[in-house]
Amino acid sequence: MELLEREESLANLTAWLGSTVHFGGSIALVAGEAGIGKTALLRAFAGRQRDRRVLWGACDAMATPRALAPLHDIARQARGGLRAAIASGESRDAVFNAALDELDHEPGALIVLEDMHWADEPTLDLLRYLGRRIHLTCALLVVTYRDDETGPRHPLRAAIGDLPRASTRSILIPPLSEFAVTQLANQRGRPVKDLHAITGGNPFLVIEALAAEAGAVPLSVRDAMLARVARLSPAARELAELASIIPGSAESWLIDAAGRVDDTQIEACLGIGLVRDDDGAIAFRHDLARRALEASLSPARRRSLHHRVLSILASRPGIAAARLAHHADGARTAHAVLRFAPAAALHAASVGARREAVSFYELGLRYAADLGAQQRAQLHEQLSHECALTGQHERAIEARRSALAIWHASTDRIKEGEALRWLSSLSRRAGDLATASEYGAAAVQMLEALPPQAELSMAYCNRAELDLESCDAESALEWSQRAVASAESLGCQRALAHALGTLGTARLASGDSSGWRDLDASLELALRGADQEEVARAYTRLAAMAIVRRRYGKAGLCVSEGLAYCAQRGFESFGLDLLAFRARLRFEQADWNGAGQDLEALLRSACTASSTRIAALQILGHLRIRRGDAEWGAPLEQACSLEGPTAPPQRTAALAAIRAEAAWLAGDRESVIREAEPAYELLRSKHDPCMKGELATWLWRAGALRVPPTDIEEPYALEIGGHWRGAACLWKGLGCPYEYASLLACHGAESEQRAALTIFEQISAAPAARLLRRRMRVQAVRGVPRGSRPSTRRHPLGLTRRQAEILALLSDGLRNSMIAKRLFVSTKTVDHHVSAILAKLGVPSRGQAVARAHRQLYAETHASPREPLDLHLRRHDAPSGQRIQLSRS
């Protein structure tokens, strides 16, 4: 088909590719619905690049995607270091580095990653990796995807959101106009009534309609495809049907091995929508057509074709297990599925594609009826493990229970005890502490009756972790010490790394600072043994305890390193835990915009564990209280609902402290006491200096603390003891501006109260600022600052109307002098406004301010990323009912 109405897209691609040599590489996102012509556009563009290097990779429409599929395609074309890195099974970092080298092999290279809506997690990580470094190359990386199949929660959307805005361009391919559709129809002498309405201007559907018999306009792709296939010879039809059951391309050697094929048959297939590349491989021009023909085949015919392809692929070395498993499933060949699906799962897990690993294990279990009991149990265990790592906790529990039933029937007590321990751990993650305790006790009882095994050490660790949930640090310490002793006597490094991490956590929880050495040793041991899961767990424990002990620098480092480690290896569950810790870290240090972004991601994910979701909801409620949002109670009620009647004391106390703060800000002394007193009594005998100190402070401020406690955190003890200035210095040194300003507001003189008011305004703590203003007016302080306007408080970035307007113009790339002319103000005035914007957003540059606003506004409102930032900024600032029209320069 002639390429119509794509001149602007081709011109943009040409300009972007040409600029890479002088200004650095960039990414072009090419989006559009299925059949809109993304591939046709890029093939036309690539065809014009006579003297440039072009590398092309595509994701496959398999039920379970092959890990890093487009990179394998590119490696075959590159035939250099990338191909060697993949073939040698090097680490993912080495493979990604080799891919980056390919991008920069020749200036002005064009690299295409096609159909990224089908990408697996490692391929999305590859996109992030290349995207962050694309400016260091001289290449144009083009990414195509179906925007109608990638909703707000699609993994690709998150990956696109992580790309650097300064290096990212986008093209949305529109449907053909009615004029273009009519032009095509007239060129073929086939004017068809209502053709544009029937096809919606979709080029693929237009092609199929024009290729159909005269007078018969197909209303679906299936009708169009079958009408064209019906005109093929039997031999050509055989070839087309064979290609239809192969996602991606059918290699020339595969076609030759499948049967006698001559050029006449291939030419006939090319006439119905297949394409042939330089290596002789054939594929459908559009996957919609392939799937339409595949769906038309009878079940027996599909099985026969899959069986033929499987027998050819299985006899050839170097074929990916994922591809073999796909055809084994299509052929309904149980022994082949059970051979290739677990192998594909192991490979997927090894490169971080853990969701794909789950799919392959589930595929194997569908064919496992005739397997031996032990093999079935092992498949259930492997599935449970991968589900746990990807946050699918209910499915993980279900699979582990199946394994437990098999081990129980087989009288393998070690395996049964291990299954009980796993079920205890999974139930704890799901928030069911009662069931977790039952499983945990049963595991210890069973394993202690057997000769010493590493499984017993892990069971002791599990008991310690349950006690930590219940704030029983003494019992947790005893169990963890037994776990370490058991692991050391067995010489099991994996169990020892796990046990040291549990011991370090228990020691810190009991006030023993030597726990830091245990946690560091746990991480070091796991890294030395290349035990990826234990490394991720060690980062998570270190981050958690560093935040609890207010070692914010150490916490930030652990969170950053841990998130990167987990993202590279597909540890989604650990990654979500670390994201929750970062949200708390940001909240406590008054980076409330950053905390809000993390919380939004946590609560949006269906894989967030119950315990992590509860913590996120509590932080969200606390954040809304400090900001003055009206709906602060909803997340706290949701957290209570998830907790149920058997919530651990720590989380019950945390919720009470949050509600006590809300009551204090509302000036309700009685409610402060009513919320804080029962929780304080609950923790009186527990060792929790942070939470006990916070509750005691609320009671002290409300005049209801009878006997000051002695085992609380130092800032709280100093305030209660009358040394509030010392407490304020500690909070300031820790980097907690809200707590620092609160002390100045409660106890300080007028100058200190004014300083507190300034801090509250800077961090958008509106309720605390209002409370302080009332106190200052009662004290007859003159000239109390009025505070920000309601429109500023309503703005999601805390900007005034003028600041929002200037930020919108900054997003257009205007300099301060140009903005001044546009707004009829002085350049110096604009300078002041820009400085205020940078301060409010906490960024050092104009470009970072625009990027920060873009991320936060779209994350909070779920607006379309295609909407210009200036429109979005000013919509927040528009008075009710007023529509602001903007002209872009």
Side-chain angles (χ1 to χ4, degrees):
M1 185 185 73
E2 182 182 354
L3 204 61
L4 297 177
E5 299 183 336
R6 300 295 184 251
E7 294 83 3
E8 182 180 355
S9 297
L10 287 169
N12 284 335
L13 289 169
T14 301
W16 297 337
L17 181 58
S19 69
T20 60
V21 176
H22 301 291
F23 302 105
S26 60
I27 303 165
L29 304 174
V30 179
E33 66 182 14
I36 204 66
K38 301 182 291 295
T39 301
L41 170 70
L42 291 177
R43 289 194 182 280
F45 177 61
R48 299 180 179 185
Q49 313 310 316
R50 302 295 183 187
D51 300 322
R52 296 184 187 270
R53 193 178 196 216
V54 179
L55 299 174
W56 200 293
C59 299
D60 300 323
M62 292 184 180
T64 302
R66 181 164 56 111
L68 295 172
L71 204 55
H72 285 268
D73 294 341
I74 291 172
R76 282 195 294 271
Q77 300 160 46
R79 302 182 185 278
L82 177 59
R83 187 172 188 177
I86 292 176
S88 63
E90 290 192 38
S91 68
R92 196 168 73 161
D93 288 346
V95 172
F96 283 11
N97 278 327
L100 184 64
D101 290 340
E102 289 296 340
L103 262 66
D104 209 28
H105 191 267
E106 294 179 13
L110 171 64
I111 292 86
V112 178
L113 300 181
E114 197 172 15
D115 293 328
M116 285 289 284
H117 49 277
W118 289 325
D120 61 300
E121 285 295 334
T123 302
L124 295 177
D125 288 340
L126 172 68
L127 175 59
R128 293 184 178 96
Y129 179 90
L130 296 178
R132 295 186 187 117
R133 297 160 179 82
I134 194 70
H135 65 285
L136 303 174
T137 74
C138 295
L140 178 64
L141 176 64
V142 181
V143 174
T144 76
Y145 65 97
R146 296 179 184 173
D147 62 338
D148 57 334
E149 296 183 19
T150 51
R153 298 190 178 188
H154 193 284
L156 177 61
R157 289 291 185 189
I160 289 174
D162 291 336
L163 298 178
R165 182 173 173 79
S167 303
T168 305
R169 318 282 184 260
S170 62
I171 295 174
L172 177 64
I173 302 182
L176 296 175
S177 66
E178 187 170 1
F179 175 79
V181 171
T182 303
Q183 182 180 351
L184 288 171
N186 289 335
Q187 287 174 356
R188 287 155 178 76
R190 292 284 310 280
V192 181
K193 184 181 180 182
D194 297 328
L195 180 58
H196 184 268
I198 292 170
T199 62
N202 184 293
F204 174 73
L205 296 180
V206 172
I207 292 173
E208 299 304 324
L210 293 175
E213 293 291 339
V217 179
L219 300 180
S220 70
V221 176
R222 182 176 181 275
D223 293 335
M225 195 66 225
L226 295 182
R228 300 178 74 177
V229 170
R231 299 196 294 270
L232 293 175
S233 67
R237 180 182 181 119
E238 173 92 4
L239 177 58
E241 290 179 349
L242 178 74
S244 76
I245 59 106
I246 302 174
S249 300
E251 296 91 339
S252 58
W253 53 262
L254 176 58
I255 298 168
D256 293 338
R260 296 180 60 183
V261 178
D262 57 32
D263 288 342
T264 304
Q265 296 161 14
I266 293 176
E267 289 297 327
C269 288
L270 298 183
I272 68 162
L274 278 78
V275 293
R276 191 179 193 182
D277 65 20
D278 295 338
D279 293 333
I282 64 169
F284 280 82
R285 179 181 293 112
H286 203 286
D287 197 66
L288 281 176
R290 182 192 68 79
R291 286 189 284 173
L293 180 54
E294 182 186 25
S296 72
L297 303 176
S298 69
R301 178 65 175 153
R302 278 201 299 273
R303 284 198 300 271
S304 173
L305 290 169
H306 276 294
H307 192 276
R308 191 192 312 177
V309 171
L310 175 63
S311 63
I312 297 169
L313 296 178
S315 65
R316 190 179 180 93
I319 302 299
R323 188 176 181 186
L324 292 162
H326 171 79
H327 290 293
D329 182 32
R332 302 295 186 265
T333 307
H335 72 274
V337 170
L338 293 171
R339 176 186 172 191
F340 297 121
L346 287 172
H347 178 263
S350 72
V351 296
R354 297 192 178 275
R355 289 189 170 275
E356 286 69 32
V358 167
S359 297
F360 282 122
Y361 283 129
E362 288 178 332
L363 172 61
L365 283 167
R366 289 201 295 272
Y367 290 85
D370 296 330
L371 268 184
Q374 287 190 352
Q375 291 172 298
R376 274 189 293 115
Q378 288 166 359
L379 278 179
H380 282 297
E381 287 179 338
Q382 290 165 321
L383 171 61
S384 176
H385 187 237
E386 295 301 331
C387 285
L389 292 176
T390 52
Q392 302 174 66
H393 301 290
E394 294 301 324
R395 183 73 183 92
I397 290 172
E398 179 187 347
R400 192 65 66 167
R401 281 176 178 158
S402 298
L404 174 63
I406 295 172
W407 294 127
H408 179 74
S410 71
T411 69
D412 187 330
R413 293 295 168 253
I414 293 178
K415 284 295 199 178
E416 185 178 357
E418 185 184 22
L420 287 167
R421 191 267 303 177
W422 267 107
L423 282 167
S424 176
S425 177
L426 291 168
S427 299
R428 177 171 56 85
R429 292 283 293 158
D432 188 352
L433 294 183
T435 301
S437 296
E438 292 176 9
Y439 279 130
V444 169
Q445 182 179 1
M446 180 168 292
L447 292 169
E448 280 186 332
L450 301 171
Q453 300 282 343
E455 287 80 4
L456 178 60
S457 176
M458 300 295 281
Y460 286 155
C461 287
N462 180 67
R463 288 297 302 269
E465 287 156 5
L466 285 167
D467 286 334
L468 287 170
E469 285 277 356
S470 303
C471 291
D472 191 346
E474 186 177 343
S475 179
L477 191 58
E478 180 183 343
W479 283 113
S480 56
Q481 286 170 336
R482 293 172 69 178
V484 169
S486 173
E488 286 179 337
S489 67
L490 293 168
C492 179
Q493 298 301 297
R494 186 176 195 278
L496 182 58
H498 193 106
L500 284 171
T502 309
L503 177 61
T505 304
R507 279 178 168 162
L508 289 171
S510 62
D512 183 354
S513 61
S514 67
W516 292 116
R517 289 198 302 271
D518 298 320
L519 288 176
D520 290 337
S522 172
L523 177 59
E524 182 182 349
L525 197 59
L527 286 168
R528 196 188 313 147
D531 190 325
Q532 295 183 357
E533 186 178 345
E534 283 303 324
V535 171
R537 184 175 286 108
Y539 274 126
T540 305
R541 283 171 165 164
L542 275 164
M545 295 313 297
I547 291 171
V548 168
R549 296 297 170 222
R550 304 195 193 279
R551 292 193 174 191
Y552 295 127
K554 185 180 184 71
L557 183 63
C558 291
V559 166
S560 177
E561 292 180 357
L563 281 171
Y565 188 90
C566 292
Q568 290 172 0
R569 291 155 181 86
F571 291 136
E572 193 168 351
S573 182
F574 287 120
L576 289 167
D577 288 345
L578 286 163
L579 195 63
F581 296 142
R582 190 174 72 180
R584 181 174 172 184
L585 173 64
R586 288 173 163 178
F587 169 75
E588 292 185 2
Q589 298 204 293
D591 178 9
W592 293 346
N593 291 337
Q597 292 172 21
D598 288 342
L599 293 170
E600 195 270 339
L602 280 165
L603 297 174
R604 185 179 63 232
S605 172
C607 300
T608 303
S610 176
S611 56
T612 306
R613 187 174 297 275
I614 289 167
L617 287 166
Q618 288 186 343
I619 299 170
L620 179 60
H622 207 171
L623 175 59
R624 289 181 176 179
I625 287 168
R626 290 191 175 179
R627 276 183 160 173
D629 297 339
E631 298 298 321
W632 62 266
L636 299 184
E637 291 301 325
Q638 191 177 349
C640 285
S641 176
L642 286 173
E643 285 280 20
T646 58
Q650 275 181 317
R651 290 209 288 263
T652 301
L655 187 61
I658 293 169
R659 293 187 186 278
E661 182 174 332
W664 175 265
L665 292 171
D668 187 349
R669 175 182 170 276
E670 288 74 17
S671 292
V672 172
I673 298 171
R674 186 170 60 251
E675 293 291 348
E677 199 164 44
Y680 177 69
E681 292 300 324
L682 182 66
L683 288 185
R684 184 187 287 273
S685 61
K686 307 287 186 182
H687 184 83
D688 191 342
C690 177
M691 186 52 60
K692 193 187 297 186
E694 186 174 351
L695 290 166
T697 300
W698 286 125
L699 290 172
W700 182 78
R701 289 181 184 178
L705 184 66
R706 299 177 184 87
V707 180
T710 57
D711 57 340
I712 59 174
E713 207 173 9
E714 188 177 6
Y716 299 121
L718 286 172
E719 182 182 358
I720 292 173
H723 306 290
W724 71 267
R725 292 185 189 278
C729 286
L730 285 177
W731 285 123
K732 185 177 183 181
L734 288 169
C736 299
Y738 183 85
E739 285 74 10
Y740 169 65
S742 295
L743 282 171
L744 298 183
C746 283
H747 309 293
E750 179 183 333
S751 61
E752 290 159 323
Q753 289 177 331
R754 290 183 182 276
L757 200 55
T758 300
I759 294 172
F760 287 144
E761 287 290 339
Q762 288 174 343
I763 64 177
S764 301
R770 283 197 301 271
L771 181 65
L772 177 54
R773 286 193 189 91
R774 285 199 300 268
R775 182 180 292 121
M776 293 172 74
R777 292 188 180 108
V778 169
Q779 295 170 352
V781 174
R782 294 185 177 183
V784 178
R786 183 182 62 181
S788 58
R789 297 173 180 269
S791 61
T792 304
R793 292 196 296 270
R794 285 196 304 269
H795 196 280
L797 299 175
L799 302 181
T800 66
R801 288 185 178 177
R802 179 62 90 184
Q803 288 167 354
E805 191 173 20
I806 288 174
L807 182 55
L809 294 172
L810 288 177
S811 73
D812 275 337
L814 272 64
R815 297 190 301 274
N816 288 7
S817 59
M818 298 170 67
I819 294 173
K821 291 179 181 178
R822 180 78 62 88
L823 300 180
F824 301 100
V825 296
S826 71
T827 302
K828 189 172 183 179
T829 298
V830 176
D831 293 341
H832 287 312
H833 282 303
V834 171
S835 297
I837 292 168
L838 299 182
K840 284 186 176 182
L841 297 184
V843 294
S845 69
R846 298 150 58 98
Q848 291 183 33
V850 172
R852 175 74 175 268
H854 181 276
R855 287 196 305 271
Q856 185 172 340
L857 288 172
Y858 294 141
E860 290 188 359
T861 62
H862 306 290
S864 168
R866 298 193 199 102
E867 184 177 77
L869 179 60
D870 56 2
L871 287 173
H872 198 61
L873 280 163
R874 295 193 191 186
R875 178 177 294 115
H876 280 285
D877 194 48
S880 178
Q882 178 180 340
R883 186 177 182 85
I884 297 179
Q885 299 292 335
L886 298 174
S887 60
R888 295 183 63 84
S889 61

